[in-house]
Amino acid sequence: MRNTSVLISGAGIAGTALAYWLRRHGFTPTVVERAPAIRQGGYKIDIRGAALDVVTRMGVMDEIRRERTNVQGASIVKANGERLASMGGDTFGGREGEDTEILRGDLNRILYDLTENEVEYLFDDSIVSLTDDGDGVRVTFENGGTRTFDLVVGADGLHSATRALAFGPESRYVRGLGYHVSIFSVPNHLELDRWELTYVSPGRTALMYSTAKDTGAKAMFLFATGTLDYDHRDREQQQKLLADAYAGEGWEIPRLLDGMADAPDFYFDSLSQVHMDRWSKGRVALIGDAAHCASPASGQGTSLALVGAYVLAGELAAAGGDHEAGFGGYEQATRHFAEQNQNLGPGNIKHMVLRSRSQVWFQMKMLSLMKYLPGKERMMAKVMEPLQKAARAITLKDY
Ligand SMILES: Cc1cc2nc3c(=O)[nH]c(=O)nc-3n(C[C@H](O)[C@H](O)[C@H](O)COP(=O)(O)OP(=O)(O)OC[C@H]3O[C@@H](n4cnc5c(N)ncnc54)[C@H](O)[C@@H]3O)c2cc1C
């Protein structure tokens, strides 16, 4: 096997999964992560379709099932809190069969636990420069060290530093969908028990949910913004943008917004996608959101990250470590799958955030009538068909 030493930037879902598969194929991965430890908790994500096969092959499906959010149901609420319509949690989340919802941090910890004894992790550090000299990649770290690796893989998310260093500025590849998302922990003042509430008004949607084993709750805001100019590191500025966007709104919104100042995990970002012609250049490749972020609106980012990690490690191993053949095989096998799932994002978000008063009125009317309709679960399954189809739009090889 050639090119056995591989540096992975980012210990998120894609990075830890890739470390696992590379190790299993006989490579020696090192993972550098900017955060001081694996990030716990966070928002809930789905694992579905081909990604279920990946976690099953990793032997962690039972643990993932044990850690699932177990959200029982979801309701759409009016400004006065009245529940207009409710349905089962899986139906609402577009899950069927073995599809599983889990907190992102719980999945990350499961994948990390699987690899921590066999993989070198460098926390609290990141790459500041990369030089691919044809025989290897010389990497300088923020903490001052310099090392050479055979290959480097960027698994460092939407705002990937590896992508910026090897492929050029983010503005070339990241496309905003015209919305922002914010999510953070709040006290569970409504005493929700594994339940999700959604409030919709023109251009603004807000959710509050509680999950199994989480004594608190999460507030999530999805709103139409066009392009917003702000400092990505300035939390106060982001909180003001959020508060201004929801000023004067009803339901529990003022109380949820009150919680953001103390939230330990305030998250705010644009809903964006990453589009690139190539996911590798010389000895550097990208996976997960860094390569092809589909945006939270697709509901498929985690599954794409898991599948990408499996295929990249498998193709490199099948090519005996030859990076040109391995990276090429990875891209050929996964590009169609990634594009199918990216295509879901722009359409989904239009149903998640309604633009006009008349759209909101019509949707609320439909939902209030829904409880009288026979076969509403079947109707939802039909709506979710494109998601299920995209989630299966790849046949995994056995490597
Ligand atoms: C609010 C929200 C809801 C979502 N809902 C869903 C859903 O329902 N279903 C779904 O499938 N997906 C969902 N997603 C998307 C999903 O979280 C991502 O697509 C998925 O986590 C991608 O994994 P990743 O490993 O590529 O990136 P990430 O999970 O973002 O991990 C990147 C890692 O790299 C680290 N890092 C960043 N920069 C550096 C650096 N310079 N050096 C070193 N390390 C660095 C980060 O700390 C992090 O650990 C959602 C996302 C959000 C924000």
Side-chain angles (χ1 to χ4, degrees):
M1 185 82 78
R2 290 160 54 195
N3 293 325
T4 51
S5 74
V6 183
L7 177 68
I8 301 168
S9 173
I13 307 302
T16 46
L18 179 65
Y20 170 84
W21 285 109
L22 283 176
R23 191 74 205 95
R24 196 154 140 182
H25 289 299
F27 292 86
T28 311
T30 296
V31 185
V32 58
E33 165 60 48
R34 191 177 53 182
I38 293 292
R39 289 191 285 166
Q40 296 293 313
Y43 46 85
K44 50 194 181 59
I45 51 95
D46 295 312
I47 306 173
R48 60 164 75 76
L52 289 168
D53 301 339
V54 173
V55 290
T56 301
R57 290 175 196 201
M58 294 172 96
V60 289
M61 192 59 212
D62 287 344
E63 200 178 347
I64 286 173
R65 244 185 243 123
R66 273 197 301 278
E67 297 288 324
R68 72 188 187 280
T69 61
N70 211 7
V71 171
Q72 302 292 300
S75 308
I76 306 286
V77 292
K78 294 189 357 191
N80 63 6
E82 186 192 325
R83 294 186 184 191
L84 197 63
S86 299
M87 63 185 86
D90 285 343
T91 309
F92 189 71
R95 288 180 292 282
E96 59 178 44
E98 296 290 291
D99 297 356
T100 305
E101 186 179 67
I102 182 171
L103 293 182
R104 181 197 167 283
D106 289 343
L107 175 62
N108 209 167
R109 183 187 37 76
I110 292 171
L111 300 178
Y112 172 69
D113 287 352
L114 204 59
T115 50
E116 69 167 324
N117 293 330
E118 296 196 320
V119 170
E120 180 191 18
Y121 278 90
L122 311 170
F123 284 103
D124 225 347
D125 207 352
S126 71
I127 302 174
V128 287
S129 78
L130 289 172
T131 314
D132 180 349
D133 66 10
D135 291 326
V137 189
R138 203 170 152 74
V139 175
T140 311
F141 293 96
E142 203 167 64
N143 285 348
T146 301
R147 281 168 69 174
T148 299
F149 297 87
D150 293 325
L151 306 173
V152 172
V153 180
D156 37 10
L158 172 61
H159 303 292
S160 168
T162 312
R163 188 184 57 226
L165 289 168
F167 297 82
E170 180 164 314
S171 54
R172 269 194 225 160
Y173 308 110
V174 175
R175 289 190 211 151
L177 296 179
Y179 301 81
H180 272 68
V181 57
S182 183
I183 185 158
F184 48 89
S185 295
V186 288
N188 188 1
H189 71 279
L190 294 179
E191 296 182 8
L192 299 176
D193 177 15
R194 295 162 297 151
W195 206 269
E196 179 164 346
L197 301 177
T198 303
Y199 172 73
V200 182
S201 77
R204 292 171 283 205
T205 294
L207 297 93
M208 176 177 173
Y209 62 78
S210 87
T211 58
K213 289 185 283 159
D214 184 358
T215 50
K218 296 276 185 287
M220 180 164 161
F221 299 85
L222 270 171
F223 56 113
T225 52
T227 312
L228 274 187
D229 192 19
Y230 60 94
D231 180 347
H232 287 272
R233 271 162 290 184
D234 188 340
R235 182 175 148 142
E236 259 180 48
Q237 191 190 11
Q238 294 163 19
Q239 293 188 344
K240 179 159 182 347
L241 284 168
L242 180 62
D244 288 349
Y246 282 82
E249 274 298 351
W251 186 51
E252 299 291 330
I253 286 173
R255 184 134 184 205
L256 295 176
L257 289 175
D258 276 351
M260 71 184 164
D262 296 328
D265 53 356
F266 179 79
Y267 173 90
F268 184 93
D269 208 341
S270 63
L271 234 65
S272 297
Q273 296 195 325
V274 173
H275 293 273
M276 303 182 76
D277 292 338
R278 295 279 318 266
W279 296 334
S280 68
K281 190 172 180 185
R283 291 177 168 270
V284 182
L286 301 172
I287 59 166
D289 278 3
H292 46 61
C293 180
S295 90
S298 78
Q300 275 294 97
T302 306
S303 293
L304 286 176
L306 289 164
V307 169
Y310 173 80
V311 175
L312 175 55
E315 289 291 331
L316 268 176
D322 180 306
H323 61 286
E324 281 174 19
F327 290 166
Y330 149 67
E331 186 149 348
Q332 202 179 14
T334 49
R335 187 168 273 281
H336 173 75
F337 175 60
E339 286 174 357
Q340 292 298 299
N341 284 286
Q342 282 189 314
N343 289 345
L344 299 168
N348 283 353
I349 190 65
K350 289 194 185 125
H351 297 291
M352 295 157 92
V353 182
L354 303 174
R355 287 299 185 128
S356 67
R357 255 177 217 294
S358 55
Q359 272 183 324
V360 173
W361 182 87
F362 183 71
Q363 175 132 330
M364 293 303 124
K365 221 43 197 172
M366 290 297 290
L367 285 166
S368 60
L369 292 174
M370 208 162 156
K371 57 185 168 223
Y372 305 111
L373 294 176
K376 63 176 176 186
E377 309 277 313
R378 257 202 332 273
M379 240 164 62
M380 273 306 282
K382 193 91 194 138
V383 172
M384 294 299 179
E385 228 171 62
L387 171 61
Q388 288 295 342
K389 200 169 160 212
R392 283 263 163 229
I394 186 168
T395 306
L396 297 179
K397 288 190 213 165
D398 291 323
Y399 293 105

